[in-house]
Amino acid sequence: MIFGLLLHVWAAIIWVGGMFFAHFMLRPAAAPLEPSIRLPLMRRALARFFPWVWVSIALLLLSGAGMIKLGEGGVHVQIMMGLGILMMLAFGHLYFASWRRFQRALDGGDLPAAAKQLTHIRYIVTFNLVLGLVVAAIGATGPYW
Ligand code: HEM
């Protein structure tokens, strides 16, 4: 139980913390660069972050389901699971649609198309960042209400 909870919070911290860093630190720091430098930089950074998001998703689902099996439950867990799955679907869209198109555009040297896809990625990351903070707050405070 405690082990599951540990994996669960670590996964949440890595995913939500990574999005916070990408949105509030990396993106503004890279913004003044020329697109020919900025877009490949964002690609290298995100290519290192996204595998960690997949690991986090797997851990959140496994540990979450495990804790439910061990008897955890309640409205806060239902809300967490619903919103958590919404975050995962949004990430799936980001990864399999926008991220793939972004890489293909960069490989083809089409910088404006790549920049457009990166904007989509940013919208989804912003959505998931807000949702992630809300879900973490619900998960952590749930037992008290
Ligand atoms: C999607 C499927 C998910 C399931 C099935 C699930 C399930 C659970 C369960 C059973 C607990 C223990 C509840 C309790 O102690 O009363 C928990 C706690 C928690 N979950 Fe989730 N969860 C999911 C997704 C997420 C996501 C996406 C996040 C954050 C981004 C998250 C953040 C947390 C936090 C912060 C806690 C509280 C840890 C603590 O006790 O301090 N969960 N979750």
Side-chain angles (χ1 to χ4, degrees):
M1 177 72 207
I2 287 188
F3 186 64
L5 198 52
L6 260 184
L7 291 180
H8 202 78
V9 275
W10 281 339
I13 288 167
I14 289 170
W15 188 5
V16 179
M19 291 191 290
F20 189 87
F21 176 78
H23 190 74
F24 286 111
M25 289 85 185
L26 176 61
R27 197 184 77 83
L33 299 172
E34 290 293 328
S36 61
I37 306 283
R38 180 173 60 88
L39 296 169
L41 167 71
M42 291 303 289
R43 179 191 198 160
R44 290 191 299 274
L46 295 175
R48 281 168 178 77
F49 177 48
F50 291 158
W52 285 101
V53 176
W54 285 117
V55 170
S56 299
I57 287 176
L59 288 177
L60 284 165
L61 285 172
L62 285 173
S63 57
M67 287 187 283
I68 291 172
K69 265 213 152 38
L70 290 177
E72 289 292 346
V75 188
H76 71 286
V77 173
Q78 302 280 319
I79 301 173
M80 175 169 20
M81 185 157 55
L83 295 180
I85 288 169
L86 186 62
M87 288 175 67
M88 292 165 195
L89 291 174
F91 180 73
H93 180 77
L94 177 164
Y95 192 86
F96 292 111
S98 315
W99 173 238
R100 290 218 166 144
R101 289 193 203 119
F102 170 70
Q103 296 187 93
R104 216 174 304 133
L106 261 191
D107 288 340
D110 189 348
L111 296 182
K116 206 173 132 210
Q117 293 305 322
L118 193 59
T119 303
H120 287 168
I121 292 175
R122 175 158 59 88
Y123 289 153
I124 298 174
V125 167
T126 310
F127 173 79
N128 265 352
L129 175 57
V130 173
L131 213 53
L133 290 171
V134 170
V135 175
I138 292 169
T141 61
Y144 301 96
W145 41 268

